[in-house]
Every structure is written in structure tokens, then in C-alpha cells.
Amino acid sequence: TSTSSEAPGTTWRSRSGRTGSLARQRKPDVACDVCTGRKLKACKSCLQCLASYCEKHLQPHFEVAPLKKHKLVEPSKNLQENVCSRHNEEMKVFCRTDQQSICLLCLMDEHKGHDTVSAAAERSERQRELGVSRQNIQQRIQDREKDVKLLQQEVEAINGSADKTVGNSEKIFTELIRLMEKRRSDVKQQVRSQQQTEVSRVRELQEKLEQEITELKRKDAELEKLSHTEDHNQFLHDYPSLSPLSESTHSSSIKIRPLRYFEDVTAAVSEVRDKLQDVLREKWTNISQTVTEVDVLLSEPENMTRAEFLKYSCDITLDPNTAQTLLLLSDENRKVTLMTEHQSYSSHPDRFTDWCQVLSKESLMGRCYWEVELRGRVSVAVTYKNISRAGSSDECWFGGNDKSWALYCESPQSSRVGVYLDHRAGILSFYSISETMTLLHRVQTTFTQPLHAGLRHNHLTGPEKPLQDTK
């Protein structure tokens, strides 16, 4: 540490750059009560005289015997406050019972029997407490300055990370755009090249057919001319000399695909577009949630209100390809109902075959919140996507394995459950929602994969057609 000497009343600047006042402040000047005209600055005050004196007028207190016994203190404008208004005596005692300064006569009178100490002793005690308070304040100042420095470092780290991420994202998307441009150019080049090849083939065949037509017309003219020969001998003489017909190219050998040339290419490109859109739509949720999970100052879930939870709300839609066949999806795949008959779903490897379960389309990362309206024996769950689907073993059952977590609910009336997920912190909480939010259960673990929301009906004696509606 380093120390420095500074004049009273000056200001200082901390390492953090903030300015403040020194603890020792310059006291206001007190004028001499004896001086006439221009009053000089007092150097002492007398508690007996209740007056302040400059150096010249103070001299009698050092020379006159009765005055030598007077109590001199630092110059003060509030001398009267040091004197008992009732007994006109110096207040040298402090009454702790009444928390006030008193004189010796007060001690023998109205403050008799009270808890009293000398003013000096009380001052010493209060001075010690003041010192402790100052130490605590100074320690808090140091702690807060450290916190401010830490937060400043966090700001710099956040800005640096954000700038780097934006740069990397720009680079990645530029590469994707460049790749798409190249594929677009490749398709265009291949189509034009194939177009040229096919047109050349057609032109070549067209020329052959036109040559054949010319030859046939010439032959037809010879035959026509011969057919008009009146001399029989001449006809018989000229007929063998006619050249034989060349092999004909029958039109039936030319296979034309009407109205379909490069349309299949368009269909293939459209399929690529649709798959890219599906991937981007699915992965964009992960990207968006990963961005929002950047939260330096994490709030404790138990201290959050429903309004604060709703800041992390996400849309949940159910995946028809995962629904067991007794489950009917409706309301744009946001509602699932248990039916008495199997639904005509197509075969799909993601479908649960035995347990009446269904998963969300969306994968969940970061901090997410959603609510479920339910009735009946229902389990609200989250699970990894690679949970088993076929069979009735625990490996397929929500909550029966290390890939899923579920809360079993039984409610004859409609009720609402809120689910809060903090993927990074490994927190999964279930809340009962009415006028207030009541924590039902919390899981603290480590999530290693993206999660999906899930619902299961736990019917034991047959379907009861309960309503499970994700919001």
C-alpha cells in the first residue's frame, strides 16, 4: 500500500477513476467574540465563558489564575450545546438510558439511577464503533470496486465474444451462400450442357429424317413418271433400274416424353430447398435459444414470478410421427386426446408403439418455459430424442430411464402445470399454476443433449378421453 499527505478538504481520485471527499474535512472558521470591527479567527473556545477567542484575546486564560482553570476546546460555534441549559454547567456525562449528554447536577437529579458514563468514555466507545463501521464501509467499497471491475471485465468479455461470434457467423453464412451459389451455377451449367446435347441429338435425327423425306420424294417422282409410261416394253425395261428404297426410320421408334424434359430437376431442387428449410427451421430454434441462454447474472428460479418465467416461453407443437396410435392430435398439433380406437397413422420409426406418448417437434436448449393444461392421469416430461420407441420396456417409458424425466399428475379437473428448463444450469422445475406458482418438483442434473417436451397418458383401466393441451 502507499500513503500520501494531502491538505484538508482536498479531493482524491480512486484507481477506478471516481472522485470523493477525504474523511478529514476543513472545519468552518469561527470568529473571535471579543474582537471589534474586523473579527479575527478564533483559535480556542472556552466552555466556562461560552466564548471563542483569537490568540490575542485568549492570553488572559493563560495569565489570570481563575481563568487558567477554564476548559479550552477547539473553536466551535455551538458552545451552548456543550452547556446544560438547566444548570448552566458543562455536560461531561452521557446518559445511556436517555441517550443524551448531561451535567453532574443532572446526574444527581432527574438522571439519578440511570446508566451513565463520562462523555469521554462514551465518545471512546462510539469512536470505536465508528472505526468498525468505517472499516466495514471501506471493505464494502473495496468489494464493490472489485465487483465493478469484474462486471467491466464481463462487459468486455461479452462484447468480445459477441463480436467474434458475429464475425464467425458471418463467415459461416457467407460460406453457405457461396456454396449455394456454386450449386446453383452447377445446376445451371449441367442443365444447359444437357440441353445442348439433347438438342444436338434431336437436330441430327431431324436432319436424317429430312434427308429421308427428300429421298422419298425423289423416288416417288421417279415412280410417278414411270407409272405414266405408255410403252409396255419401255416400262418393263426401266422398272428394274429403279434404286431400292433405303431403310426407313419409323416415327414409332422415336420416344417423346410429352411435357416432361427437365421438370424432374426442378422437383429435385425443390426437395433440397424443402429439406434445407426444415433444417434451418429446426436448428434456428436451437440457435435462438442458445443466444438467449447467455445470461451472466442468473436468477434463482425460486425467486422468479410467472411473468419472469414467461420471458422464456417457447412455442411447443407435437410431432405426429411420434404419437402412439391411440393419441389424436388436433388444434394445429398443440392438443392431444386419448381415443378408444387406433388412429390411421402411417408407419414411422419415431412412433411410440406401446406407451401412449408423444414428443414435441422442437428441440429445447438454453432457458425455456412452457405450460400444459391437462386432465386425467398424465405425465409431463422432457427427454432426449434418442429414447427408445418400440416396445413397452422402461427404455421407452418417460421417466423410466436415464434419457428422460417426468412428473406424474392425476387431476379429475383441468389444471395447469408450468415447466421451466435451464439446460446449461441443469435445472428442470415443475410448477402448479393457479393464482400463484407452487413448486412441485425440481431436478438438478447435467443435460448432455438437446431435449424434447413430452406427454404421456397413464391409463390403467382403459381410455378416459382426457384432454392434454400444450400452450
PDB file of all heavy atoms in Angstrom, residues 74-89:
ATOM      1  N   GLU A  74     -11.321  23.135  20.957  1.00  0.00           N
ATOM      2  CA  GLU A  74     -11.169  23.639  19.596  1.00  0.00           C
ATOM      3  C   GLU A  74     -12.308  24.609  19.290  1.00  0.00           C
ATOM      4  O   GLU A  74     -13.410  24.473  19.828  1.00  0.00           O
ATOM      5  CB  GLU A  74     -11.190  22.489  18.583  1.00  0.00           C
ATOM      6  CG  GLU A  74      -9.978  21.577  18.654  1.00  0.00           C
ATOM      7  CD  GLU A  74      -8.705  22.320  18.329  1.00  0.00           C
ATOM      8  OE1 GLU A  74      -8.672  23.060  17.332  1.00  0.00           O
ATOM      9  OE2 GLU A  74      -7.733  22.174  19.109  1.00  0.00           O
ATOM     10  N   PRO A  75     -12.030  25.612  18.475  1.00  0.00           N
ATOM     11  CA  PRO A  75     -13.048  26.621  18.187  1.00  0.00           C
ATOM     12  C   PRO A  75     -14.374  25.984  17.756  1.00  0.00           C
ATOM     13  O   PRO A  75     -14.399  25.075  16.929  1.00  0.00           O
ATOM     14  CB  PRO A  75     -12.433  27.449  17.062  1.00  0.00           C
ATOM     15  CG  PRO A  75     -10.973  27.244  17.202  1.00  0.00           C
ATOM     16  CD  PRO A  75     -10.783  25.846  17.690  1.00  0.00           C
ATOM     17  N   SER A  76     -15.464  26.451  18.320  1.00  0.00           N
ATOM     18  CA  SER A  76     -16.778  25.899  17.999  1.00  0.00           C
ATOM     19  C   SER A  76     -17.820  26.998  18.039  1.00  0.00           C
ATOM     20  O   SER A  76     -17.803  27.859  18.916  1.00  0.00           O
ATOM     21  CB  SER A  76     -17.146  24.792  18.998  1.00  0.00           C
ATOM     22  OG  SER A  76     -18.469  24.360  18.789  1.00  0.00           O
ATOM     23  N   LYS A  77     -18.732  26.943  17.061  1.00  0.00           N
ATOM     24  CA  LYS A  77     -19.842  27.891  17.041  1.00  0.00           C
ATOM     25  C   LYS A  77     -20.997  27.434  17.920  1.00  0.00           C
ATOM     26  O   LYS A  77     -21.922  28.179  18.181  1.00  0.00           O
ATOM     27  CB  LYS A  77     -20.347  28.072  15.610  1.00  0.00           C
ATOM     28  CG  LYS A  77     -19.389  28.825  14.707  1.00  0.00           C
ATOM     29  CD  LYS A  77     -20.021  29.027  13.337  1.00  0.00           C
ATOM     30  CE  LYS A  77     -19.102  29.860  12.443  1.00  0.00           C
ATOM     31  NZ  LYS A  77     -19.700  30.108  11.108  1.00  0.00           N
ATOM     32  N   ASN A  78     -20.962  26.165  18.351  1.00  0.00           N
ATOM     33  CA  ASN A  78     -22.085  25.596  19.089  1.00  0.00           C
ATOM     34  C   ASN A  78     -21.701  25.349  20.545  1.00  0.00           C
ATOM     35  O   ASN A  78     -21.924  24.264  21.101  1.00  0.00           O
ATOM     36  CB  ASN A  78     -22.528  24.285  18.429  1.00  0.00           C
ATOM     37  CG  ASN A  78     -22.893  24.481  16.975  1.00  0.00           C
ATOM     38  OD1 ASN A  78     -23.603  25.430  16.650  1.00  0.00           O
ATOM     39  ND2 ASN A  78     -22.420  23.591  16.127  1.00  0.00           N
ATOM     40  N   LEU A  79     -21.100  26.338  21.161  1.00  0.00           N
ATOM     41  CA  LEU A  79     -20.662  26.184  22.549  1.00  0.00           C
ATOM     42  C   LEU A  79     -21.835  25.928  23.478  1.00  0.00           C
ATOM     43  O   LEU A  79     -21.714  25.189  24.458  1.00  0.00           O
ATOM     44  CB  LEU A  79     -19.905  27.444  22.994  1.00  0.00           C
ATOM     45  CG  LEU A  79     -18.514  27.632  22.378  1.00  0.00           C
ATOM     46  CD1 LEU A  79     -17.939  28.969  22.827  1.00  0.00           C
ATOM     47  CD2 LEU A  79     -17.593  26.505  22.773  1.00  0.00           C
ATOM     48  N   GLN A  80     -22.985  26.545  23.169  1.00  0.00           N
ATOM     49  CA  GLN A  80     -24.125  26.427  24.059  1.00  0.00           C
ATOM     50  C   GLN A  80     -24.607  24.981  24.165  1.00  0.00           C
ATOM     51  O   GLN A  80     -25.169  24.558  25.178  1.00  0.00           O
ATOM     52  CB  GLN A  80     -25.257  27.330  23.569  1.00  0.00           C
ATOM     53  CG  GLN A  80     -26.393  27.509  24.570  1.00  0.00           C
ATOM     54  CD  GLN A  80     -25.926  28.181  25.860  1.00  0.00           C
ATOM     55  OE1 GLN A  80     -25.136  29.141  25.799  1.00  0.00           O
ATOM     56  NE2 GLN A  80     -26.360  27.682  27.013  1.00  0.00           N
ATOM     57  N   GLU A  81     -24.315  24.213  23.122  1.00  0.00           N
ATOM     58  CA  GLU A  81     -24.736  22.815  23.120  1.00  0.00           C
ATOM     59  C   GLU A  81     -23.933  21.992  24.108  1.00  0.00           C
ATOM     60  O   GLU A  81     -24.345  20.888  24.476  1.00  0.00           O
ATOM     61  CB  GLU A  81     -24.598  22.214  21.714  1.00  0.00           C
ATOM     62  CG  GLU A  81     -25.537  22.843  20.706  1.00  0.00           C
ATOM     63  CD  GLU A  81     -25.370  22.233  19.324  1.00  0.00           C
ATOM     64  OE1 GLU A  81     -24.515  21.323  19.193  1.00  0.00           O
ATOM     65  OE2 GLU A  81     -26.072  22.658  18.398  1.00  0.00           O
ATOM     66  N   ASN A  82     -22.769  22.473  24.506  1.00  0.00           N
ATOM     67  CA  ASN A  82     -21.939  21.765  25.482  1.00  0.00           C
ATOM     68  C   ASN A  82     -22.274  22.147  26.928  1.00  0.00           C
ATOM     69  O   ASN A  82     -21.623  21.662  27.859  1.00  0.00           O
ATOM     70  CB  ASN A  82     -20.458  22.040  25.219  1.00  0.00           C
ATOM     71  CG  ASN A  82     -20.013  21.495  23.874  1.00  0.00           C
ATOM     72  OD1 ASN A  82     -20.414  20.404  23.492  1.00  0.00           O
ATOM     73  ND2 ASN A  82     -19.201  22.261  23.155  1.00  0.00           N
ATOM     74  N   VAL A  83     -23.235  23.041  27.104  1.00  0.00           N
ATOM     75  CA  VAL A  83     -23.589  23.524  28.443  1.00  0.00           C
ATOM     76  C   VAL A  83     -25.027  23.151  28.747  1.00  0.00           C
ATOM     77  O   VAL A  83     -25.916  23.286  27.899  1.00  0.00           O
ATOM     78  CB  VAL A  83     -23.400  25.056  28.542  1.00  0.00           C
ATOM     79  CG1 VAL A  83     -23.831  25.557  29.929  1.00  0.00           C
ATOM     80  CG2 VAL A  83     -21.949  25.426  28.283  1.00  0.00           C
ATOM     81  N   CYS A  84     -25.244  22.644  29.953  1.00  0.00           N
ATOM     82  CA  CYS A  84     -26.597  22.254  30.392  1.00  0.00           C
ATOM     83  C   CYS A  84     -27.472  23.501  30.476  1.00  0.00           C
ATOM     84  O   CYS A  84     -27.143  24.458  31.199  1.00  0.00           O
ATOM     85  CB  CYS A  84     -26.521  21.543  31.734  1.00  0.00           C
ATOM     86  SG  CYS A  84     -28.146  21.115  32.409  1.00  0.00           S
ATOM     87  N   SER A  85     -28.568  23.477  29.783  1.00  0.00           N
ATOM     88  CA  SER A  85     -29.460  24.632  29.778  1.00  0.00           C
ATOM     89  C   SER A  85     -30.166  24.819  31.126  1.00  0.00           C
ATOM     90  O   SER A  85     -30.615  25.914  31.452  1.00  0.00           O
ATOM     91  CB  SER A  85     -30.496  24.477  28.664  1.00  0.00           C
ATOM     92  OG  SER A  85     -31.265  23.299  28.874  1.00  0.00           O
ATOM     93  N   ARG A  86     -30.240  23.748  31.901  1.00  0.00           N
ATOM     94  CA  ARG A  86     -30.936  23.816  33.187  1.00  0.00           C
ATOM     95  C   ARG A  86     -30.028  24.306  34.319  1.00  0.00           C
ATOM     96  O   ARG A  86     -30.421  25.126  35.140  1.00  0.00           O
ATOM     97  CB  ARG A  86     -31.505  22.453  33.538  1.00  0.00           C
ATOM     98  CG  ARG A  86     -32.318  22.450  34.827  1.00  0.00           C
ATOM     99  CD  ARG A  86     -32.939  21.089  35.036  1.00  0.00           C
ATOM    100  NE  ARG A  86     -33.742  21.051  36.247  1.00  0.00           N
ATOM    101  CZ  ARG A  86     -34.366  19.983  36.719  1.00  0.00           C
ATOM    102  NH1 ARG A  86     -34.294  18.846  36.027  1.00  0.00           N
ATOM    103  NH2 ARG A  86     -35.071  20.034  37.831  1.00  0.00           N
ATOM    104  N   HIS A  87     -28.772  23.791  34.326  1.00  0.00           N
ATOM    105  CA  HIS A  87     -27.861  24.127  35.428  1.00  0.00           C
ATOM    106  C   HIS A  87     -26.703  25.004  34.983  1.00  0.00           C
ATOM    107  O   HIS A  87     -25.868  25.385  35.810  1.00  0.00           O
ATOM    108  CB  HIS A  87     -27.309  22.840  36.043  1.00  0.00           C
ATOM    109  CG  HIS A  87     -28.376  21.917  36.571  1.00  0.00           C
ATOM    110  ND1 HIS A  87     -28.734  20.750  35.926  1.00  0.00           N
ATOM    111  CD2 HIS A  87     -29.183  22.016  37.660  1.00  0.00           C
ATOM    112  CE1 HIS A  87     -29.677  20.140  36.606  1.00  0.00           C
ATOM    113  NE2 HIS A  87     -29.984  20.906  37.678  1.00  0.00           N
ATOM    114  N   ASN A  88     -26.640  25.308  33.712  1.00  0.00           N
ATOM    115  CA  ASN A  88     -25.565  26.147  33.169  1.00  0.00           C
ATOM    116  C   ASN A  88     -24.189  25.580  33.516  1.00  0.00           C
ATOM    117  O   ASN A  88     -23.247  26.314  33.799  1.00  0.00           O
ATOM    118  CB  ASN A  88     -25.686  27.589  33.688  1.00  0.00           C
ATOM    119  CG  ASN A  88     -24.973  28.563  32.782  1.00  0.00           C
ATOM    120  OD1 ASN A  88     -24.879  28.339  31.561  1.00  0.00           O
ATOM    121  ND2 ASN A  88     -24.449  29.639  33.341  1.00  0.00           N
ATOM    122  N   GLU A  89     -24.086  24.247  33.470  1.00  0.00           N
ATOM    123  CA  GLU A  89     -22.832  23.554  33.736  1.00  0.00           C
ATOM    124  C   GLU A  89     -22.408  22.782  32.485  1.00  0.00           C
ATOM    125  O   GLU A  89     -23.233  22.403  31.651  1.00  0.00           O
ATOM    126  CB  GLU A  89     -23.015  22.571  34.900  1.00  0.00           C
ATOM    127  CG  GLU A  89     -23.267  23.227  36.247  1.00  0.00           C
ATOM    128  CD  GLU A  89     -22.006  23.845  36.827  1.00  0.00           C
ATOM    129  OE1 GLU A  89     -20.914  23.431  36.419  1.00  0.00           O
ATOM    130  OE2 GLU A  89     -22.135  24.750  37.665  1.00  0.00           O
TER     131      GLU A  89
END
